[in-house]
Amino acid sequence: MSSNIKVKRICVYCSSEFVAQTTSTKYCSKKCNSAHYKTKVRAKKVERSNIETTQKKHKPIQDVQAKEFLSVKDVSFLLGCSIRSTYTFRKRRTRNRTQNKYFRLSMVNNNLIN
Ligand SMILES: [Zn+2]
């Protein structure tokens, strides 16, 4: 619905001054309105994609941390070292104990602190 009022406004997208017929008009043209909308949609897509990437990046760590017992491969992944180093680490830790095939997460955490 148009009215007889003429209001000077500044376009949100191109920052040019224009004369609007309502006080709620934000854009100088349909072209600026569409361009600004597309920019916002594109920014949302990029943000959503970045969030998905971050979640995928941290998912393997969360999966490993959810386990009660960890395999040598899991421990080497958590510690960021080779599987051979993890075997050496396990050999030192279990020298006077019964040989376990799997690590407990608390055992890994305690060794990280010390
Ligand atoms: Zn404009």
Side-chain angles (χ1 to χ4, degrees):
M1 189 169 111
S2 65
S3 64
N4 291 332
I5 62 167
K6 304 281 183 196
V7 184
K8 281 188 177 181
R9 305 289 310 230
I10 293 175
C11 179
V12 172
Y13 185 70
C14 69
S15 302
S16 67
E17 192 176 305
F18 66 99
V19 178
Q21 293 182 339
T22 65
T23 55
S24 62
T25 305
K26 295 178 184 175
Y27 304 98
C28 65
S29 64
K30 173 79 175 146
K31 188 178 171 186
C32 278
N33 188 353
S34 298
H36 193 235
Y37 174 76
K38 281 187 178 182
T39 305
K40 286 195 292 186
V41 168
R42 197 175 300 125
K44 274 186 186 175
K45 279 184 180 177
V46 168
E47 186 182 328
R48 198 177 317 128
S49 174
N50 287 342
I51 290 170
E52 272 182 30
T53 303
T54 305
Q55 286 173 344
K56 281 182 184 174
K57 192 175 162 186
H58 294 296
K59 181 135 177 41
I61 294 172
Q62 291 169 347
D63 288 347
V64 169
Q65 286 176 337
K67 293 179 181 178
E68 187 178 357
F69 294 99
L70 303 175
S71 67
V72 170
K73 189 179 175 184
D74 294 335
V75 173
S76 63
F77 173 74
L78 276 179
L79 297 177
C81 63
S82 69
I83 291 175
R84 178 54 37 209
S85 299
T86 308
Y87 274 113
T88 306
F89 163 73
R90 185 183 73 169
K91 196 173 179 182
R92 276 193 225 141
R93 290 286 303 170
T94 58
R95 191 172 292 155
N96 298 326
R97 301 177 193 162
T98 55
Q99 292 285 325
N100 292 325
K101 189 178 177 185
Y102 296 102
F103 290 87
R104 278 186 177 276
L105 189 58
S106 59
M107 184 177 140
V108 175
N109 286 337
N110 288 341
N111 219 332
L112 284 174
I113 293 167
N114 296 331

